[in-house]
Amino acid sequence: MLRNIRKIIESQIYHIGCKGCKGVYFILFFHLWQIDLAQPLAPQGPFDAIVHKLSDVIVEAEHDSQSQQLLANFESYVSTHPSTVLLDPLPAMTRLLDRFASYRIMSKLHNSLRDWRICSPPYLEVHRASDLPSIQQAVMAQGLSFPLICKTRVAHGSLSHEMSLIFSAGSLADIHPPCVLQSFVNHGAVLHKVFVVGDKHFCVERPSLKNFPSGPCDRKTIFFNSHQVSKPESSSDLTALDEQMPCLPPPSSQAVDALVRELRVQLGMALFGVDVIINIHTHTLTVIDINIFPGYEGVPQFFSSLLNHIESVLDKQTSTTSSLKTTTGGPPAGL
């Protein structure tokens, strides 16, 4: 049962019902049901909290009028019902769907988390197709080093998992803008996925790309799908280390704590994931991607953690409302 509800709650939108008892706020039970975005939302409510995964709608709204209308209806409801808790805010999610925006956030972590030796690899935004010499010059100017990993600008959908490894300046002709070029960091074929649920987070180890010699070489571009490389059950030649190497230390729990706290502030979100690796040479915790509402595979506590977070948020909101009533002698404006 929990497995089915967990699967539903990851992909649908629900109403969370709450009840009070003798003036003390308790979460007694949760009513969950799917909202029909094609219908007016107000008659389907009222909603105490909405957990949504509107990534597809947000991306499709760029070019699809029907998705634009669905999104507009949803935004209209949210704006006229400010007491409804939204996980997560649409502007924050929209920003995270754009790797240009999320990588700018990542690039600032080196300064804000300097004491924890946390960094992000150098990267370059390629906005549009241009002549090869211009891209090569920009790569050098930004201090990127080969090999490079190329990712799509849109960080959602099946195409967002299609990536490539570029090994030389000449092979930059293989990229398809808009995209991000990022220096590849050898990390012993181990990826650490940090799943965030409110003030809790869980770290899960996954397979990842093997080590490659540093510096340009005449190797042809490698095109791959990140799902096929880093899923729990993945088995790929790209993840098999060519040499025996000692195991890298796991990420420092204190450093991961600091990273999650900083990103929660920077993103203004409660449900997201962070991909981190350990540099085999410096053992530096390196952030390579941020994921919008990930699948939470390998996190058995996800559902209970999500409910606990919703309960906590609603409890805080109730406490704030009660405080305002006591101070002003009546309900706050808008409630």
Side-chain angles (χ1 to χ4, degrees):
M1 179 67 176
L2 286 181
R3 183 180 304 171
N4 291 336
I5 295 177
R6 171 181 168 179
K7 183 176 181 181
I8 292 172
I9 206 168
E10 288 176 0
S11 59
Q12 304 294 347
I13 304 173
Y14 289 91
H15 167 97
I16 314 302
C18 313
K19 286 192 174 182
C21 179
K22 295 181 180 179
V24 181
Y25 184 80
F26 292 97
I27 299 294
L28 296 181
F29 56 84
F30 291 83
H31 291 302
L32 295 84
W33 64 81
Q34 181 180 354
I35 290 174
D36 185 352
L37 288 180
Q39 302 298 322
L41 270 67
Q44 300 179 59
F47 306 116
D48 295 309
I50 296 177
V51 181
H52 70 93
K53 193 169 185 178
L54 292 177
S55 315
D56 287 334
V57 179
I58 295 172
V59 172
E60 292 168 359
E62 291 288 328
H63 52 78
D64 178 70
S65 59
Q66 183 177 4
S67 296
Q68 291 170 7
Q69 188 59 55
L70 292 177
L71 195 59
N73 292 342
F74 186 78
E75 290 176 321
S76 175
Y77 178 85
V78 170
S79 65
T80 55
H81 295 79
S83 62
T84 300
V85 173
L86 192 64
L87 297 179
D88 272 313
L90 290 179
M93 295 187 71
T94 301
R95 180 171 61 155
L96 205 55
L97 287 170
D98 182 355
R99 281 199 173 104
F100 288 175
S102 64
Y103 276 44
R104 290 168 193 168
I105 294 172
M106 288 163 45
S107 67
K108 298 176 183 177
L109 294 175
H110 177 72
N111 293 325
S112 58
L113 298 171
R114 186 182 301 274
D115 293 343
W116 296 103
R117 299 183 69 237
I118 295 174
C119 69
S120 182
Y123 79 99
L124 173 68
E125 301 173 7
V126 184
H127 291 256
R128 62 187 65 83
S130 58
D131 60 285
L132 184 58
S134 296
I135 298 176
Q136 293 171 338
Q137 184 177 6
V139 165
M140 294 180 60
Q142 289 294 106
L144 275 67
S145 57
F146 290 98
L148 302 175
I149 187 164
C150 180
K151 307 176 186 180
T152 60
R153 177 176 184 173
V154 177
H156 180 73
S158 58
L159 290 180
S160 69
H161 301 290
E162 298 297 331
M163 304 182 183
S164 59
L165 277 168
I166 311 291
F167 293 93
S168 67
S171 294
L172 287 168
D174 294 331
I175 69 173
H176 300 286
C179 60
V180 171
L181 295 173
Q182 184 185 60
S183 292
F184 179 78
V185 175
N186 283 327
H187 53 283
V190 177
L191 173 68
H192 301 277
K193 297 190 76 69
V194 181
F195 297 109
V196 180
V197 185
D199 59 0
K200 295 185 180 298
H201 63 271
F202 309 88
C203 196
V204 178
E205 187 176 303
R206 296 278 179 82
S208 186
L209 294 171
K210 64 185 180 182
N211 301 329
F212 291 94
S214 299
C217 67
D218 59 1
R219 188 167 188 166
K220 291 184 177 180
T221 299
I222 296 176
F223 298 92
F224 67 96
N225 185 294
S226 61
H227 264 179
Q228 296 174 359
V229 168
S230 295
K231 280 290 186 180
E233 68 281 1
S234 296
S235 177
S236 168
D237 291 340
L238 290 176
T239 65
L241 291 175
D242 294 332
E243 74 284 349
Q244 292 295 324
M245 64 167 288
C247 293
L248 290 167
S252 159
S253 59
Q254 293 87 352
V256 174
D257 289 347
L259 172 63
V260 170
R261 284 196 303 269
E262 178 68 15
L263 284 177
R264 285 195 66 195
V265 172
Q266 294 292 331
L267 299 175
M269 296 175 62
L271 302 172
F272 61 93
V274 191
D275 291 347
V276 300
I277 57 176
I278 305 296
N279 187 310
I280 64 170
H281 301 297
T282 64
H283 290 187
T284 302
L285 184 65
T286 306
V287 182
I288 59 171
D289 226 333
I290 307 175
N291 307 304
I292 186 173
F293 204 150
Y296 290 93
E297 295 97 339
V299 182
Q301 307 98 319
F302 168 68
F303 184 62
S304 59
S305 297
L306 177 58
L307 294 183
N308 288 338
H309 176 66
I310 294 171
E311 182 176 355
S312 174
V313 172
L314 292 175
D315 193 28
K316 288 180 182 178
Q317 185 181 70
T318 302
S319 299
T320 301
T321 302
S322 299
S323 176
L324 287 172
K325 286 182 178 180
T326 301
T327 303
T328 63
L335 294 183

